Structure formats: structure tokens, C-alpha cells
Amino acid sequence: MAYKGTPSSIVEAAEELFAEQGFNETTVRQITNHAGVNLASINYHFGSKKGLIQAVAEKFLTPLCNSLERMLNDFQMQSAQEISLEDLLEILMRALLSVHHENLHALSVFMRLLELAYMKSQEELRSFLMQRYHSKLQPYIHLLRVNAAPMEEDEFFWRLHFLLGSITFTLSNFHTLSAIEKTEYHSDAEVEKIMHRMIPVLAAGLQARADKSYFCRI
Amino acid sequence: MAYKGTPSSIVEAAEELFAEQGFNETTVRQITNHAGVNLASINYHFGSKKGLIQAVAEKFLTPLCNSLERMLNDFQMQSAQEISLEDLLEILMRALLSVHHENLHALSVFMRLLELAYMKSQEELRSFLMQRYHSKLQPYIHLLRVNAAPMEEDEFFWRLHFLLGSITFTLSNFHTLSAIEKTEYHSDAEVEKIMHRMIPVLAAGLQARADKSYFCRI
Amino acid sequence: MAYKGTPSSIVEAAEELFAEQGFNETTVRQITNHAGVNLASINYHFGSKKGLIQAVAEKFLTPLCNSLERMLNDFQMQSAQEISLEDLLEILMRALLSVHHENLHALSVFMRLLELAYMKSQEELRSFLMQRYHSKLQPYIHLLRVNAAPMEEDEFFWRLHFLLGSITFTLSNFHTLSAIEKTEYHSDAEVEKIMHRMIPVLAAGLQARADKSYFCRI
Amino acid sequence: MAYKGTPSSIVEAAEELFAEQGFNETTVRQITNHAGVNLASINYHFGSKKGLIQAVAEKFLTPLCNSLERMLNDFQMQSAQEISLEDLLEILMRALLSVHHENLHALSVFMRLLELAYMKSQEELRSFLMQRYHSKLQPYIHLLRVNAAPMEEDEFFWRLHFLLGSITFTLSNFHTLSAIEKTEYHSDAEVEKIMHRMIPVLAAGLQARADKSYFCRI
DNA sequence: AATGAATGAGTATTCATTCAT
DNA sequence: CATGAATGAATACTCATTCAT
């Protein structure tokens, strides 16, 4: 394997460790040791640990948004029929998988990043991501909206985050979950298969009829 | 309000700070300052920070499991008809709400704890929780299984975690999410309402027909 | 010599090193090594290096202002005659010497502190000292003003700082200067003697008739 | 304005930053960024940061000494009368101002350099400057000596440094002092005017009759 | 039972300098 | 002649834990 240059080595080591341990739990020492580079190189090349995290974030988010956009266009050109909810989710999963080119860490760290962005103390990261990617994701989200069951705006907002929770939880902890599956059911999980399995579940969730009653059945 | 004693004060302060900032990001100094107790008392009463986290975990998990068990029994005694998936999920939400007695922190920290338990480096916490609560949760999970769509064991395992992801993500980030909802849709979220909204979505997900085809539609 | 306790040891070590090297040039490691205490004790007892510097500052400034005030009162009570400029400066020197009880470092570090306070980037320290001590020094400065030659307010402001320059330069570099004197003139300087020698020089400076002409003699 | 070449750009940037922040507080990165040159060029052209400081020192001290020498000769040729103390100090101020050609930084950094040279830990710089410039300054200092009040050698040594303290303090902190003057007295200080104001004060100080009594008046 | 003081190992970051090209 | 990349040593500061009392 060819030598990748210091910044690439750092990013790769960071992805792996971020995926396994999270961002705050990973120290710059661990990263530089794992990458076999000098302790100071993170600050030299990325300014700070935060800069490295943003670099990792952009490395995944930019191609993801591009994939999503392109696949959406391709589908709408090739197919005469209306796009279905399952198609949309399949497109999302494929876009995620195209990000997951080299190693599993990529997806895992990306999902951890989304989780981080929703933490109370991370408004800065959240608005950084929002400002950068919100508009690019808007067309996709709009298509989800029109294919979901009819519902109020705020209901859709929450359902979108129920769905996001499923995806981030599954993919950021995929390593642990597939290890449990292996010991309990002796079956090996591939990430592609699990993502495929998510599609009907998420689609059904978005299409479920909202229950107007409020805690009265029991 | 009566004085609660040092250990209780610590636990309460810890819940609040863990909920807001996460476990690693919260220092024992912050906890003891917030609780108005001596810095060393966490180690004195709980052995270590890790011990405090486990104490917090047990404080919620034990009553939760008990609630779940009791509500399940009550339902099966009172009602002649078969229990539905929506009923089961309603029971879960009510059990969670009964944990959420005093403040939102309780639920938030509990959900964060579950997330933590699935991290690669937290095998110790995971097996501690498993060993302690797995058997008590088994009857409830079995009922979910029989009310879900027919599927293989491993498929059910993954669906259960899709569902878990929705719940943990929504509740551990409830503060952030409801803040976003407020600025975007000018509507105030109550946690009860949002939990209620989750029920049909989760039920539909568990009942969705599995898709045997594998990435072939597009 | 009795053991002084960690905070005192730190302050003493800091005074010595600050006097010799300045504030920024002195590291917390040097201080704690020199004091024979743990590296973290500075942060434990003083919060930060800045906190230690302020503690050192207050240790000297408070007694200095009190000495000055008391000596001024004593003089005005005991003596029927008007106080002279030389008397005022003698009082200042004696107040400084009463601060210089234990070691030479005290005076030196105090003078370095004044120098620091006038640096462009130290507005915070400057305003901290101003707010805390300006009013207590006002009566003394007023007496200097009425005993100096008649002059405009702004002229007096600058003369006061010419004088301050003489004092701070001489006392903060006293160690170096007396070493030079020793090698060149084989005479030993005592700080008391040198401070006494400053009095007629400073007095003459304050009483000199201002020159209204502006760069015209040559 | 013509491009000055890398070394000149470095020296100019260094002057400005040294004047504002001091030597230790200014990093080579700041200097090279400000100068728009490569980070390594300071070490390339000046060997080290210390080498750059010495280069800055020589850039000012050599012309200063030359100015002083020339102006002294000019005065003695043109004027029949004996040179007065005020004349000598005026010559010094003019020599300093001729150094202060382009900007205030020059004077400020030069004064800071003198202060640095008297610090205990800077024997190297001190002896470098001494060895290089002491003999050239000797004639000027001798003239000060003969025009001052009669006094012992060592007394003159100290008075010279009282005077040096006034000059260095005023000029190295000129920025801060004139800012204070502006806010307090709403008058704008020009450095020429302030230097002129120093002359009668310093002259009076050198001519003051030494006080033989030793702390006995009060 | 409880605590104020202390501590060793750790954190991210900064620095002047070096070196291969 | 010049430079982008890299580096070892140092910086202030923080942490959970321990210990004598």
C-alpha cells in the first residue's frame, strides 16, 4: 500500500478512532500514534482537533450530498413512473454506501457526527452543518414529505428524526451490533444487507397513519 | 424541600449534568459543585465516577423494568382480548414516563446511557446491564416478537434496534429537537405528545413486510 | 526555617522567579519545581497562572497603599510645617522599603508588575489595578502635584510617569545594576541607599521649570 | 513602495510586533505571516530569533551612535560657548528622533531592547551591546558627567540609570501613555513634544545637589 | 462519615527550529 | 536561494483519584 501523505494518514487514523470511541474520547495523541506521525502535525495541517473533525465531516458530507442529488436526477430521468418511498430510501442507502467505499469507519464516524450535532452543547457544529448542507438536502426531504402519509409539518419533522435515529443508531454502533448478532445468532451481518432491511421499516414508519387520540386507549 | 443526603444530592446533580453534556464531558468537579458537596464524596460513596454512572443506571432501570412488568400483568388480567403492538408500545412509553417523574433529565440521561452501552469500548457497562436486566425484559420483548410481522430471529433483532435507535435519539436529544421545532414551527413539544406520536410509527415499522429482494429494484 | 504551606511556598518561589525573569518568561513548571510542590498546585490554589500573578500583586500593593496612607497621616499630625516634596518622596521610598521586608524579590517583582501593566496588551491587568488602587493613591499624588512646579495637568501627568520610569527601571533591574556597579566601581549598593539617592533627583525633576520653547535652541 | 527584499520585510514586521508585544511574546510565525514571507526565512537569514533581535538592535544603535557623534561635533564646531546639559539632552532626543524616521515602532522597540538588556538572564545581549557600543557612547556620557552636579563616580552611574529609566519607560510605553492622556485630558501627545518636555526634568535631575544625609529627616 | 489538600497522568496546543528538496 | 512539511520539547491547564486527618 502506497504511502498516503501525512494529512491523509491523520484523517484515516482519526476516522477509525472516532468511529470506535467517539470524538471527545479520542485524543490527538492516539490519532498521531496510530497514524505514525508527529504529535504536532494535527495542529499543523488542520489547525486544531476541531478543524480535523470538520475536515472529516466535509470529506463525507460533500460526496454524500452529491451522490444523493445525482441519483435522484438519474432516477427521475430514466423512469417514467412516480418515485416511491422505498425508492427514495433505497437511494439514500446507496448514497450512504457509496460514501462507505474504503472502510466501515467512514459510515460510523459520519453517523456519530450527526449524533454529536444534535447535542445541546454543539450548536456551533450544528449550525455549521446546517448552513453548509441544508439547502442541498432540501429537494430529497421534500420528496420524502410528499410520499409520506399526509400529516402536519411538525409531525413530519418528528418522524424524520425518528427515522434519523434508527439510521444513526444502527450505523454508528454497527460494529457492536453485528458482534452481538454473531454471538447470539451465529449469522454474519453485512452492512449492505442491514441497510436494505431498514428500508421497509422506515417506509412503513413514514406512511403510518397518525394517531390523533392522545393516550386514551389503555 | 427536605435535604436529601449526600449520595442523593450527587445522583441528582449527576443526572442533570449527564443529560446536558454526556458522561465523559461531565467532570466530577462539576457534579460535586452543583450538588454542593465535597469533591471526594463521589469516590467515597460510589467508589469511582464509573460507579456513579452505574448507580444512575440502576436508579432508572430497576423501576422501569418493574413498571413494565406490572403494567403488562395488569393489562393481561383486565383485558380479555389479545394485546396489540400499539398497546405494547404504549405500555413502554408509559413506563418510560413513569421514570420521567421529576424532570426531563431522567429520561435524557437514561437514553444517553443506552447509547453509551452500545459503544465498542464499553463492553463492561454493556454486559453489566445485560446480565442485570436482560431476563426481566425478555417477556416484554417476546410479546413484541409475536405481534410483529413474521420474520427470522436475526431480522427481529435488527428491527428491535432500529426501534431502539428512534427512541434513544429522540429522547436523548429532546431538548435540542424541541428547540428546533419551536424556532421553525412555533409549536411547543411536550415529551408525552412526542412519545405518543412515536407509537404508530414504531408499530408500523415492526409490522412491515420484510423485503426479500436485495437491492434489485433500481 | 519552618514549613510555610503550599500556597506560601508557591508565592515565594514565584516572586523570586518573576523578579529574575519576568512573568511570561517564568513557567509554572519552574515555579512548582523551585517551590518543591506538585505541578498542579498552582491551578488548585490560584486557579491559573494569572490568578497567581494577581495574588502576588495584591500581596504587595495592599500593604504598600496602607503604609503610604498611614505615613502620610502620621507626618501631617506630628509636623506643624508644610510637607515638602523631598518628604513626600522619602515617604514613598520608606513605604516601598516596608514592603521589601523579607527579600529583594518583593520590590523587584512589584516594579515588574507596574511595567507589565503599561504594556499595550495588558489592559485587563491595568484596569484591574487602577480600579483597585487608584483612589487610595489619589491623596498622595495630589500632594505631589501641589508641591511640584506650577504646570498644566497633562504636563504633570507625563512628569509623574518620567518619575515612575526612574523608579521601576532602577528597582526592577536592581540586581543587574548593582552587579555592574560592583565590577566597575567595586562598591556595594544597598537598595536603601540607592532609593535615598533617588529622592533629590526626582524632586528636582518635578520642580524643574517647564520649558515652553519647542526645539529651538539648537 | 518598492519591494524591500525578504530580510528587510522581516525586520520591519519584527519591529512593529516587537514594539507592540515585546520580544518573547512575539512568535516567528507572527513575524513571517505579517511580512508575507516563509516561516523558515528568519532562521535562514538571521540564524535564529535571537539573531533577528540583534539585527534589529544594530539597525537602530549604529545610526543612533553616528547621529550622536556627528551632532556633538557639529555643535562644538559651530558654537563658541560651552555646551549645556540641556543642549546635550536635546542632542540625545534629536538623535533618537532621527532613528524614529518612519514610524513609532522604531523607538519603542529600541527602548524595549534596552530594558531587555538589563534583565538578569540576558547577560549575553547586554555584553553584546556593551562591547559594540560602549566606547562610541563614552564621549557623550563624559560630557554629561562634566555638566552634571559634582558627584562621586558611583552616584553618577546611578543617576545615569535613573535618567535611562525615565526615557525607556516613557518611550516604550508611549502608545499606552498617550492613550491614557487622550481619555483623561483630551489632549493628543506627539512624541516630539513629550521628548522635549523630558529635557528640563532630566537636566534638573542630573544637576540636583546630592543629599549626603541618610534617612534622617523624618 | 467526611473532607481539604494534594497528585500523577493526562489534555490540546504552541513554539523555534530543522530538513529534504 | 528558498520553502513546505515536519518535529521534539515545551506550554498552561484539567482530570479522576488518593490520602492524611
Side-chain angles (χ1 to χ4, degrees):
Chain A
M1 190 164 69
Y3 174 64
K4 305 245 174 116
T6 300
S8 300
S9 308
I10 291 172
V11 166
E12 272 178 36
E15 283 168 31
E16 188 175 333
L17 292 163
F18 285 161
E20 286 180 10
Q21 307 174 327
F23 299 98
N24 279 314
E25 291 70 24
T26 301
T27 70
V28 296
R29 252 198 179 76
Q30 287 178 311
I31 298 170
T32 51
N33 282 346
H34 198 269
V37 302
N38 184 272
L39 172 63
S41 2
I42 287 181
N43 287 73
Y44 179 74
H45 289 284
F46 301 95
S48 68
K49 187 183 174 182
K50 192 181 283 187
L52 172 60
I53 293 176
Q54 289 199 350
V56 169
E58 298 202 24
K59 183 184 161 190
F60 297 128
L61 269 169
T62 305
L64 176 73
C65 289
N66 292 340
S67 286
L68 211 53
E69 202 173 24
R70 196 180 51 253
M71 292 171 89
L72 218 50
N73 285 338
D74 288 356
F75 186 95
Q76 290 174 318
M77 284 192 171
Q78 288 167 16
S79 177
Q81 69 196 17
E82 277 301 286
I83 196 163
S84 74
L85 200 47
E86 281 81 5
D87 292 333
L88 284 168
L89 291 166
E90 177 111 25
I91 283 173
L92 175 63
M93 295 302 165
R94 289 188 180 223
L96 286 171
L97 279 171
S98 76
V99 163
H100 162 73
H101 32 194
E102 296 158 18
N103 49 39
L104 183 55
H105 309 309
L107 264 183
S108 192
V109 69
F110 174 39
M111 292 300 147
R112 246 177 237 301
L113 196 74
L114 289 185
E115 291 175 340
L116 183 66
Y118 279 93
M119 291 201 61
K120 194 181 177 184
S121 50
Q122 296 287 347
E123 286 170 86
E124 191 185 333
L125 174 63
R126 191 162 57 249
S127 62
F128 166 79
L129 294 178
M130 274 288 186
Q131 165 192 340
R132 203 152 185 124
Y133 297 106
H134 187 257
S135 65
K136 298 204 76 175
L137 294 172
Q138 208 46 54
Y140 179 80
I141 291 171
H142 178 72
L143 282 173
L144 284 183
R145 175 89 170 99
V146 298
N147 281 279
M151 64 185 91
E152 303 291 324
E153 272 292 334
D154 62 328
E155 168 107 28
F156 181 71
F157 166 83
W158 285 98
R159 289 215 187 175
L160 212 54
H161 286 96
F162 300 158
L163 174 153
L164 188 58
S166 292
I167 299 175
T168 57
F169 183 85
T170 306
L171 295 183
S172 63
N173 300 310
F174 185 79
H175 184 97
T176 302
L177 290 169
S178 63
I180 296 174
E181 192 198 10
K182 192 161 193 176
T183 60
E184 306 242 325
Y185 311 103
H186 308 288
S187 57
D188 264 317
E190 298 154 47
V191 70
E192 290 88 351
K193 195 171 147 201
I194 303 306
M195 290 169 84
H196 187 63
R197 278 181 168 173
M198 245 188 273
I199 294 172
V201 177
L202 301 179
L206 280 177
Q207 283 171 330
R209 219 175 122 263
D211 184 0
K212 300 286 178 191
S213 72
Y214 184 60
F215 273 74
C216 56
R217 254 193 329 277
I218 306 186
Chain B
M1 193 164 65
Y3 173 65
K4 305 252 174 109
T6 300
S8 299
S9 308
I10 291 171
V11 167
E12 270 180 37
E15 283 167 34
E16 188 175 333
L17 292 164
F18 286 161
E20 284 182 9
Q21 306 173 328
F23 300 97
N24 274 307
E25 290 70 25
T26 301
T27 70
V28 298
R29 253 203 170 73
Q30 286 179 310
I31 298 170
T32 51
N33 281 347
H34 199 268
V37 303
N38 183 270
L39 171 63
S41 36
I42 286 180
N43 288 74
Y44 182 75
H45 289 285
F46 300 95
S48 68
K49 188 184 177 182
K50 194 178 282 186
L52 171 60
I53 293 175
Q54 290 196 352
V56 169
E58 294 200 289
K59 185 186 161 191
F60 296 127
L61 269 169
T62 305
L64 177 73
C65 289
N66 293 339
S67 287
L68 214 52
E69 203 173 23
R70 195 182 53 254
M71 292 172 88
L72 220 50
N73 285 337
D74 289 355
F75 187 93
Q76 290 173 320
M77 285 190 170
Q78 288 167 16
S79 177
Q81 69 194 19
E82 275 303 284
I83 196 164
S84 74
L85 200 46
E86 279 82 4
D87 293 333
L88 284 168
L89 290 167
E90 178 111 24
I91 283 174
L92 175 62
M93 295 300 166
R94 290 188 179 225
L96 286 172
L97 279 171
S98 76
V99 163
H100 160 73
H101 33 191
E102 296 158 18
N103 48 38
L104 185 55
H105 309 310
L107 264 183
S108 190
V109 69
F110 175 40
M111 292 299 146
R112 244 177 240 302
L113 199 72
L114 290 185
E115 292 175 337
L116 184 65
Y118 280 94
M119 293 201 62
K120 193 183 177 186
S121 48
Q122 296 287 346
E123 287 169 85
E124 192 186 333
L125 175 62
R126 191 162 57 249
S127 62
F128 165 80
L129 294 178
M130 274 288 188
Q131 162 193 340
R132 203 145 184 132
Y133 296 104
H134 187 256
S135 65
K136 298 202 75 175
L137 292 171
Q138 210 44 57
Y140 179 81
I141 291 172
H142 178 72
L143 281 173
L144 283 183
R145 176 88 170 98
V146 298
N147 278 279
M151 65 186 89
E152 303 291 325
E153 271 293 334
D154 63 330
E155 167 109 28
F156 182 72
F157 166 83
W158 285 98
R159 289 215 187 175
L160 212 54
H161 286 96
F162 300 159
L163 175 152
L164 187 58
S166 291
I167 299 175
T168 56
F169 183 85
T170 306
L171 295 183
S172 62
N173 300 310
F174 186 79
H175 183 97
T176 302
L177 289 169
S178 64
I180 296 174
E181 192 199 7
K182 192 160 192 178
T183 60
E184 305 242 326
Y185 310 105
H186 307 287
S187 55
D188 264 315
E190 299 154 46
V191 69
E192 291 87 352
K193 194 171 146 200
I194 301 307
M195 290 169 86
H196 186 64
R197 279 181 167 173
M198 244 187 274
I199 294 173
V201 176
L202 301 179
L206 280 177
Q207 283 171 329
R209 216 175 123 264
D211 184 0
K212 298 289 179 188
S213 72
Y214 181 61
F215 274 75
C216 56
R217 253 196 329 278
I218 306 186
Chain C
M1 194 164 68
Y3 174 65
K4 305 249 174 109
T6 301
S8 300
S9 307
I10 290 171
V11 166
E12 272 179 37
E15 283 168 31
E16 188 175 332
L17 292 163
F18 286 162
E20 285 180 10
Q21 305 174 331
F23 299 99
N24 278 312
E25 290 71 24
T26 301
T27 71
V28 295
R29 251 197 178 79
Q30 287 178 312
I31 297 171
T32 51
N33 282 346
H34 198 268
V37 302
N38 184 273
L39 173 62
S41 356
I42 286 182
N43 287 73
Y44 179 74
H45 289 285
F46 301 95
S48 67
K49 187 184 175 183
K50 194 181 282 186
L52 172 59
I53 293 176
Q54 288 198 351
V56 169
E58 298 201 25
K59 185 185 161 189
F60 297 127
L61 269 169
T62 306
L64 176 73
C65 288
N66 293 340
S67 287
L68 211 55
E69 204 173 23
R70 196 180 52 252
M71 292 171 89
L72 218 52
N73 284 338
D74 289 355
F75 186 94
Q76 290 174 320
M77 283 191 171
Q78 288 166 16
S79 176
Q81 70 194 16
E82 278 301 285
I83 196 165
S84 75
L85 200 48
E86 279 82 4
D87 293 333
L88 283 167
L89 290 167
E90 177 110 24
I91 283 173
L92 175 64
M93 295 302 166
R94 288 185 181 227
L96 286 172
L97 279 171
S98 76
V99 162
H100 160 75
H101 32 192
E102 296 158 16
N103 49 38
L104 184 55
H105 309 309
L107 264 183
S108 193
V109 69
F110 174 40
M111 292 299 146
R112 243 176 240 303
L113 196 75
L114 290 185
E115 291 175 341
L116 184 65
Y118 280 93
M119 290 199 63
K120 193 182 178 184
S121 50
Q122 297 287 346
E123 285 170 86
E124 191 185 334
L125 174 62
R126 190 162 59 249
S127 63
F128 166 78
L129 294 178
M130 274 288 186
Q131 164 192 340
R132 204 157 185 118
Y133 297 105
H134 187 256
S135 65
K136 299 203 74 174
L137 293 172
Q138 208 46 55
Y140 179 80
I141 291 171
H142 177 72
L143 281 174
L144 283 183
R145 175 88 170 98
V146 298
N147 279 280
M151 64 185 91
E152 303 291 324
E153 271 294 334
D154 63 327
E155 167 109 27
F156 182 71
F157 166 82
W158 284 98
R159 288 213 187 177
L160 212 55
H161 286 96
F162 300 159
L163 174 154
L164 187 59
S166 292
I167 298 174
T168 57
F169 183 85
T170 307
L171 293 183
S172 62
N173 301 310
F174 186 79
H175 183 97
T176 302
L177 290 170
S178 65
I180 297 175
E181 192 199 8
K182 192 160 192 177
T183 59
E184 305 241 326
Y185 311 104
H186 308 286
S187 57
D188 264 317
E190 299 153 45
V191 70
E192 291 88 350
K193 194 171 146 199
I194 302 306
M195 289 170 86
H196 186 65
R197 278 179 168 173
M198 245 189 271
I199 295 173
V201 176
L202 301 178
L206 280 178
Q207 283 171 329
R209 219 175 122 262
D211 184 359
K212 298 288 179 188
S213 71
Y214 184 59
F215 273 74
C216 57
R217 253 196 331 278
I218 306 186
Chain D
M1 193 164 66
Y3 174 65
K4 305 246 174 119
T6 300
S8 299
S9 307
I10 291 171
V11 166
E12 270 179 37
E15 284 168 32
E16 189 175 331
L17 292 164
F18 285 160
E20 283 181 11
Q21 306 174 329
F23 300 98
N24 274 307
E25 290 69 26
T26 300
T27 71
V28 297
R29 252 201 170 73
Q30 288 178 310
I31 298 170
T32 51
N33 281 347
H34 199 269
V37 301
N38 183 270
L39 171 63
S41 37
I42 286 180
N43 287 74
Y44 182 75
H45 288 287
F46 300 96
S48 69
K49 188 184 177 182
K50 195 179 282 186
L52 171 59
I53 294 176
Q54 290 195 351
V56 169
E58 293 198 291
K59 184 185 161 190
F60 297 127
L61 269 168
T62 305
L64 176 75
C65 289
N66 292 341
S67 287
L68 213 55
E69 202 173 23
R70 194 180 54 252
M71 290 172 90
L72 220 49
N73 283 339
D74 289 356
F75 186 95
Q76 290 173 320
M77 283 192 170
Q78 288 167 15
S79 172
Q81 70 195 15
E82 276 302 287
I83 195 165
S84 74
L85 200 47
E86 280 81 4
D87 293 333
L88 284 168
L89 291 167
E90 178 110 25
I91 283 173
L92 175 63
M93 295 301 166
R94 289 188 178 223
L96 286 172
L97 279 172
S98 76
V99 163
H100 161 72
H101 31 191
E102 296 158 17
N103 49 38
L104 185 54
H105 308 310
L107 263 183
S108 191
V109 69
F110 175 39
M111 292 299 146
R112 246 177 237 301
L113 198 73
L114 289 185
E115 291 175 340
L116 183 66
Y118 279 94
M119 293 202 62
K120 192 181 176 186
S121 49
Q122 296 286 349
E123 287 169 86
E124 192 185 334
L125 175 62
R126 190 163 59 248
S127 63
F128 165 80
L129 294 178
M130 274 287 187
Q131 163 193 339
R132 201 143 183 135
Y133 297 104
H134 187 257
S135 64
K136 297 200 78 174
L137 293 171
Q138 210 45 55
Y140 179 81
I141 291 171
H142 178 73
L143 281 173
L144 284 183
R145 175 88 171 97
V146 298
N147 278 280
M151 64 186 89
E152 303 292 322
E153 271 293 333
D154 64 327
E155 168 108 27
F156 181 71
F157 166 83
W158 285 97
R159 289 213 186 176
L160 212 54
H161 286 96
F162 300 160
L163 174 153
L164 187 59
S166 292
I167 298 175
T168 57
F169 183 85
T170 306
L171 294 183
S172 62
N173 300 309
F174 185 78
H175 183 97
T176 303
L177 290 170
S178 64
I180 297 175
E181 192 199 7
K182 193 159 192 177
T183 60
E184 306 242 326
Y185 309 104
H186 308 285
S187 55
D188 264 318
E190 300 154 43
V191 68
E192 290 88 351
K193 193 170 147 203
I194 301 307
M195 290 171 85
H196 186 63
R197 277 180 168 174
M198 245 189 272
I199 294 173
V201 176
L202 301 179
L206 280 178
Q207 283 171 330
R209 218 173 124 264
D211 184 359
K212 297 289 179 188
S213 71
Y214 183 62
F215 275 75
C216 57
R217 252 196 329 278
I218 305 185

